[in-house]
């Protein structure tokens, strides 16, 4: 954790921006362009530079804070300025996540720079670009390193504290966790080591490294990879009872805490890394080699640090007409405020549902493409007539879409190197229904070219599948737009695993603003469809070191599953079994009835009985099918609004499997980590 480190320096040094290292890059990258504001606001970058220099003159610690602020912005929703947004009465923003509060600083400097720019060029320069410029200027002030920043980013309108906790690498991460976390942002293991070098400036709160000094009972227990002398010093500074809000801090780099240099790596070699995640770089052979290389060659690290910062600054950026240019960096513009936190509204409305929220509207295509919903319905009905199993596939396809990047059809995108969401282990080979969406899209395109989004088609198809299997119908608010990025690692991070316990399920659904009741309600979709053996293998073989079979599963049922699934099956073994033994093709409440009889198939199914609150809801639904049906329709509508793109955001794909040409975002499909990295994430 980097926060303000105050140290007085001669003022003449503040302006000594010696341009020692200048890296020349292609001027245009992923719709970002060096000199983007040359015509529209030529003084933008100089105004940011002046603001940062003035703040640095009063407190040199602001530099570390601004570099970290940019990093924490880019790792959550991409570099879209969402970290700058304030919390509201209805939403806790990223900046108030434990990962950011109270340690993150520099907001006031961005606000000052924004005010100066707005006075000259109203609503022209995005907060995301201001933050990228400020980080670059901080690097110049502390390391005599300068580089050109490609700009043209747009500002996001959503900021959620749980997403910060889910996406930011923790100070307690080990090497594998760090590698996987950075891979999910399309950053290599070497780039992870390079960017970690920013810990050569700034300070950390005691709470971030107390795990290396004390055990859970606050007794002294020092990490063996930490210098004993350093540990003693830290214990004298930080008593065992410190917490997140204890204001005591210490420098991350003991030797040059206000200079951006390679002393961070030298400190690691001397077992003087402060955080678990710092010292973890020595526990992996490849990472350790990079540390040694940078410790012995500062120029090499500085050059690579520039390139890594520029690459990081391109993570999932919004450009063109996506997002907005905020007037005030801490508040979304009033005209677009429906996009911020609007998916937090809980919908308690009797079926059929009539709503207009999050810029979605029932009957959205009534004029632009009046036959859209009926064409989807026909495509689903035709497929269902040939194979009733497509219904469960389409419902699950909608769920898996909404839980990764929101309901914007990223799950439908293909990737030439198998790194899209659909290629992730939670989706491949089990996810189905893509061809039904393709058929519906083709029929609609013939009638209404580039009018109806793939995201809306998928929402309609899920609703029609529910009607076919459960005789439940509801109105689907539409107006979603299609996303342009699909990454397999994000599916691994965001989708609830079949091995999740109750606490993990609750946390996962809460991250999508779904309640405990809605978790249990939506789990009822498991009354349809099948599961591959690997989804429940952990329950029937080697359940623990002393027990072979999960005692919570019916013994006869376990024996049946063992006869069906030998112990050596893999993810791609085609054997499947029904999730609901009683009525596997009917959407009803039998799923809940089976849970009460120890006949839930997955760990995550049975987990609903291990929490008193969740178990009470299971019992209620097992006894009252109509109650569940009504709530299920409402929960589907609410889920269908998770982080939707609307208005000018995203695009309307011509082909649901491919982003439109000429958008400059096709690279988003190819930028993920390789399949070997997916395997490592999956196994962890």
């Amino acid at each position: 954790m980097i926060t303000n480190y105050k140290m007085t320096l001669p003022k003449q040094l503040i302006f000594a921006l010696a341009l020692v290292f200048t890296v020349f890059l292609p001027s245009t990258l992923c719709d970002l362009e060096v000199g983007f504001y040359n015509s529209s606001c030529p003084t933008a970058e100089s105004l940011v530079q002046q603001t940062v220099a003035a703040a640095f003159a009063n407190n040199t610690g602001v530099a570390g804070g601004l570099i970290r602020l940019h990093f924490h912005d880019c790792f959550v929703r991409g570099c879209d300025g969402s970290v700058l947004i304030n919390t509201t009465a209805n939403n806790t923003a990223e900046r108030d996540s434990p990962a950011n509060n109270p340690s993150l600083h520099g907001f006031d400097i961005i606000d000052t720079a924004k005010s100066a720019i707005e006075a000259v060029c109203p609503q022209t320069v995005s907060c995301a670009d201001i933050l990228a410029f400020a980080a670059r200027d901080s690097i110049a002030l502390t390391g005599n390193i300068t580089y050109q920043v490609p700009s043209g980013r747009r500002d996001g309108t959503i900021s959620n504290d749980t997403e910060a906790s889910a996406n930011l690498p923790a100070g307690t991460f080990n090497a594998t966790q760090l590698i996987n976390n950075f891979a999910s942002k399309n950053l290599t293991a070497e780039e992870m080591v390079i960017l970690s070098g920013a810990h050569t400036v700034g300070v950390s709160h005691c709470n971030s490294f107390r795990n290396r000094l004390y055990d859970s009972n606050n007794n002294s227990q020092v990490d063996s990879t930490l210098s004993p002398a350093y540990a003693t010093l830290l214990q004298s500074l930080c008593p065992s009872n410190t917490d997140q809000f204890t204001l005591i801090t210490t420098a991350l780099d003991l030797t040059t805490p206000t200079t951006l240099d390679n002393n961070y790596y030298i400190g690691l070699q001397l077992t003087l890394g402060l955080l678990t995640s710092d010292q973890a770089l020595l526990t992996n052979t490849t990472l350790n080699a990079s540390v040694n290389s940078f410790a012995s060659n500062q120029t090499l690290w500085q050059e690579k640090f520039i390139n890594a910062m520029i690459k990081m600054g391109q993570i999932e950026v919004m450009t063109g007409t996506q997002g907005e240019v905020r007037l005030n960096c801490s508040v979304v513009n009033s005209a677009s405020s429906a996009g911020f936190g609007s998916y937090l509204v809980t919908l308690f409305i009797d079926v059929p549902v009539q709503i207009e929220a999050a810029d979605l509207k029932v009957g959205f295509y009534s004029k632009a493409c009046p036959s859209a919903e009926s064409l989807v319905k026909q495509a689903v009905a035709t497929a269902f007539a040939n194979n009733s199993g497509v219904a469960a596939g389409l419902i699950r396809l909608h769920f898996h879409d909404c839980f990764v990047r929101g309901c914007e059809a990223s799950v439908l995108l293909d990737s030439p190197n198998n790194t899209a969401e659909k290629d992730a282990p939670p989706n491949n080979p089990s996810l189905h229904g893509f061809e039904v969406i393709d058929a519906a899209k083709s029929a609609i395109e013939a009638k209404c070219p580039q009018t109806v989004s793939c995201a809306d088609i998928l929402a309609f198809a899920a609703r029609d599948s529910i009607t076919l299997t459960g005789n439940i119908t509801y109105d689907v608010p539409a107006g979603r737009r299609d996303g342009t990025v699909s990454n397999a690692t994000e599916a691994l991070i965001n989708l609830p695993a079949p091995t999740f316990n109750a606490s993990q399920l609750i946390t996962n659904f809460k991250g999508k603003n779904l309640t405990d009741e809605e978790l249990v309600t939506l789990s009822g979709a498991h009354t349809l469809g099948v599961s591959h053996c690997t989804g429940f293998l952990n329950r029937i073989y080697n359940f623990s070191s002393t027990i072979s079979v999960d005692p919570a599963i019916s013994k006869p049922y376990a024996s049946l599953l063992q006869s069906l699934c030998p112990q050596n099956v893999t993810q791609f073994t085609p054997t499947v079994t029904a999730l609901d033994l009683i009525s596997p093709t009917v959407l009803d409440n039998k799923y809940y009835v089976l849970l009460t009889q120890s006949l839930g198939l997955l760990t995550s199914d049975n987990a609903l009985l291990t929490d008193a609150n969740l178990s009470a809801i299971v019992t209620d639904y097992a006894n009252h099918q109509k109650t569940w049906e009504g709530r299920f329709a409402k929960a589907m509508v609410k889920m269908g609004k998770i982080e939707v793109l609307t208005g000018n955001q995203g695009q309307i794909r011509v082909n649901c499997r491919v982003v439109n040409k000429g958008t400059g975002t096709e690279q988003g499909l190819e930028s993920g980590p390789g399949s070997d990295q997916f395997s490592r994430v999956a196994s962890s």
Side-chain angles (χ1 to χ4, degrees):
M1 288 187 159
I2 304 172
T3 53
N4 292 353
Y5 186 91
K6 189 171 180 68
M7 182 174 179
T8 302
L9 290 178
K11 288 190 176 181
Q12 59 267 32
L13 292 182
I14 295 163
F15 303 98
L17 305 182
L19 306 184
V20 178
F21 297 97
T22 303
V23 174
F24 297 96
L25 299 157
S27 62
T28 303
L29 295 166
C30 70
D31 279 348
L32 302 183
E33 182 183 359
V34 171
F36 182 84
Y37 299 107
N38 282 354
S39 298
S40 60
C41 190
T43 58
E45 295 194 46
S46 63
L47 287 171
V48 176
Q49 186 182 49
Q50 291 167 26
T51 303
V52 173
F56 186 82
N58 292 319
N59 177 7
T60 58
V62 301
L66 288 168
I67 297 168
R68 182 168 179 254
L69 196 59
H70 182 42
F71 177 95
H72 280 223
D73 181 43
C74 292
F75 264 55
V76 185
R77 292 190 159 266
C79 310
D80 68 341
S82 56
V83 74
L84 305 173
I85 295 174
N86 281 336
T87 289
T88 66
N90 297 320
N91 180 71
T92 304
E94 291 173 30
R95 65 194 295 169
D96 290 311
S97 164
N100 292 329
N101 184 24
S103 60
L104 209 57
H105 293 282
F107 300 102
D108 55 329
I109 300 168
I110 302 301
D111 290 340
T112 301
K114 178 65 170 173
S115 295
I117 290 173
E118 283 297 308
V120 180
C121 318
Q123 206 163 358
T124 302
V125 182
S126 70
C127 301
D129 276 342
I130 291 172
L131 182 50
F133 295 148
R136 183 266 315 273
D137 297 336
S138 297
I139 289 168
L141 283 164
T142 54
N144 283 346
I145 306 168
T146 190
Y147 57 93
Q148 293 179 312
V149 174
S151 54
R153 299 167 186 80
R154 301 270 289 182
D155 296 323
T157 58
I158 295 174
S159 184
N160 187 289
D161 66 326
T162 56
E163 292 187 350
S165 298
N167 285 278
L168 290 170
T172 56
F173 270 14
N174 60 32
T176 301
Q177 291 171 310
L178 288 169
I179 291 170
N180 291 337
N181 178 269
F182 276 67
S184 73
K185 308 302 176 185
N186 194 38
L187 293 167
T188 66
E190 183 186 52
E191 287 164 339
M192 184 266 286
V193 179
I194 293 165
L195 291 169
S196 296
H199 281 188
T200 193
V201 291
V203 300
S204 173
H205 285 246
C206 294
N207 192 55
S208 296
F209 54 85
R210 73 172 307 282
N211 66 299
R212 303 191 72 195
L213 306 175
Y214 306 101
D215 63 17
S216 58
N217 295 318
N218 292 334
N219 297 315
S220 178
Q221 183 173 298
V222 176
D223 184 341
S224 60
T225 63
L226 183 64
S227 159
Y230 189 25
T232 301
L233 172 66
L234 294 174
Q235 285 181 327
S236 67
L237 182 70
C238 300
S240 61
N241 62 348
T242 57
D243 62 18
Q244 175 188 347
F245 295 99
T246 300
L247 298 180
I248 303 169
T249 60
T250 188
L252 284 155
D253 177 346
L254 285 176
T255 53
T256 53
T258 60
T259 304
L260 196 73
D261 55 22
N262 70 332
N263 281 348
Y264 165 78
Y265 302 103
I266 296 171
L268 293 184
Q269 294 176 321
L270 300 172
T271 64
L272 295 175
L274 184 61
L275 309 179
T276 299
S277 56
D278 292 326
Q279 206 63 38
L281 303 186
L282 299 184
T283 64
N284 173 288
T285 303
T286 302
L287 306 185
N288 193 10
S290 295
V291 168
N292 293 336
S293 175
F294 298 145
S296 61
N297 192 334
Q298 177 166 300
T299 301
L300 175 66
W301 170 71
Q302 288 175 323
E303 292 173 346
K304 292 194 173 187
F305 183 71
I306 290 171
N307 291 326
M309 285 295 295
I310 292 172
K311 181 177 177 181
M312 185 190 77
Q314 300 175 58
I315 294 175
E316 300 168 27
V317 294
M318 291 191 288
T319 59
T321 58
Q322 298 173 315
E324 64 182 15
V325 174
R326 273 181 236 140
L327 293 168
N328 178 340
C329 290
S330 60
V331 183
V332 297
N333 298 340
S334 57
S336 63
S337 59
F340 172 58
S342 57
Y343 63 94
L344 303 176
V345 180
T346 305
L347 306 175
F348 294 106
I349 307 172
D350 291 334
V351 178
V353 180
Q354 299 287 341
I355 69 166
E356 291 187 21
D359 286 338
L360 303 182
K361 182 171 67 171
V362 171
F364 183 85
Y365 299 107
S366 58
K367 293 183 179 179
C369 190
S371 59
E373 295 195 45
S374 63
L375 288 171
V376 175
K377 186 175 181 180
Q378 291 168 26
V380 173
T382 300
F384 186 80
N386 292 320
N387 176 11
S388 61
V390 301
L394 289 168
I395 297 169
R396 183 166 177 253
L397 197 58
H398 183 40
F399 177 94
H400 280 223
D401 180 44
C402 291
F403 264 54
V404 184
R405 291 187 161 266
C407 309
E408 37 81 277
S410 55
V411 74
L412 303 177
L413 287 169
D414 286 338
S415 169
N417 54 0
N418 299 322
T419 59
E421 288 174 32
K422 61 168 50 172
D423 301 306
N427 293 330
N428 183 27
S430 60
L431 209 57
H432 295 283
F434 300 102
E435 70 288 346
V436 183
I437 303 301
D438 291 339
K441 179 64 171 174
S442 296
I444 290 173
E445 284 296 308
K447 294 263 188 180
C448 318
Q450 208 162 352
T451 301
V452 182
S453 69
C454 300
D456 277 341
I457 291 172
L458 183 50
F460 294 148
R463 183 268 313 275
D464 297 336
S465 298
I466 289 167
T467 301
L468 284 167
T469 55
N471 200 26
I472 304 168
T473 190
Y474 55 92
D475 291 322
V476 174
R480 299 166 185 81
R481 302 268 292 180
D482 298 323
T484 58
V485 177
S486 185
N487 186 291
T489 309
E490 291 186 351
L492 284 165
I493 292 171
N494 286 279
L495 291 170
T499 56
F500 270 13
N501 59 31
S503 177
Q504 291 171 311
L505 288 169
I506 290 169
T507 300
N508 180 269
F509 275 65
K510 183 180 179 182
K512 307 303 175 185
N513 194 44
L514 294 167
T515 66
D516 293 1
E517 180 184 274
E518 288 159 342
L519 153 64
V520 180
T521 303
L522 290 169
S523 296
H526 281 187
T527 193
L528 293 175
V530 298
S531 171
H532 285 246
C533 293
T534 49
F536 53 85
L537 206 66
N538 65 301
R539 300 193 72 195
I540 57 175
Y541 298 107
N542 302 319
F543 178 71
S544 71
S545 59
T546 57
I547 303 173
S548 176
V549 177
D550 183 349
I553 193 171
S554 160
K555 289 183 179 179
Y557 189 27
S559 297
L560 172 66
L561 294 174
Q562 286 176 330
S563 66
L564 183 69
C565 299
Q567 193 167 355
N568 62 347
V569 296
T570 70
Q571 174 188 347
F572 296 98
T573 300
T575 308
V576 295
T577 187
L579 285 157
D580 177 343
L581 290 174
I582 304 175
S583 52
T585 59
V586 179
L587 195 73
D588 56 22
N589 70 332
K590 297 302 185 291
Y591 165 79
Y592 302 103
V593 174
L594 289 166
L595 287 185
T596 63
Q597 297 173 0
S598 303
L599 294 173
L601 183 61
L602 310 178
T603 298
S604 57
D605 292 326
N606 191 71
L608 303 185
L609 300 180
T610 64
D611 176 277
N613 181 40
L614 305 185
S615 182
I617 300 169
V618 168
T619 302
D620 184 30
Y621 292 159
N623 294 321
H624 303 99
Q625 178 164 311
K626 290 296 181 183
T627 299
W628 170 72
E629 288 177 349
R631 291 180 183 174
F632 183 70
K634 296 171 190 174
M636 286 295 295
V637 171
K638 181 177 177 182
M639 184 190 77
K641 294 160 60 186
I642 294 175
E643 299 168 27
V644 294
L645 302 176
T646 59
N648 292 321
Q649 298 174 315
Q651 62 181 211
I652 303 293
R653 276 183 231 141
V654 176
N655 178 342
C656 290
R657 294 175 179 264
V658 185
V659 297
N660 299 338
K661 291 184 178 179
T663 61
T665 52
E666 291 90 343
Q667 52 83 36
L669 305 180
E670 304 179 40
S671 61
S675 58
D676 59 328
Q677 291 169 317
F678 299 146
S679 299
R680 290 197 295 272
V681 176
S683 64
S684 68

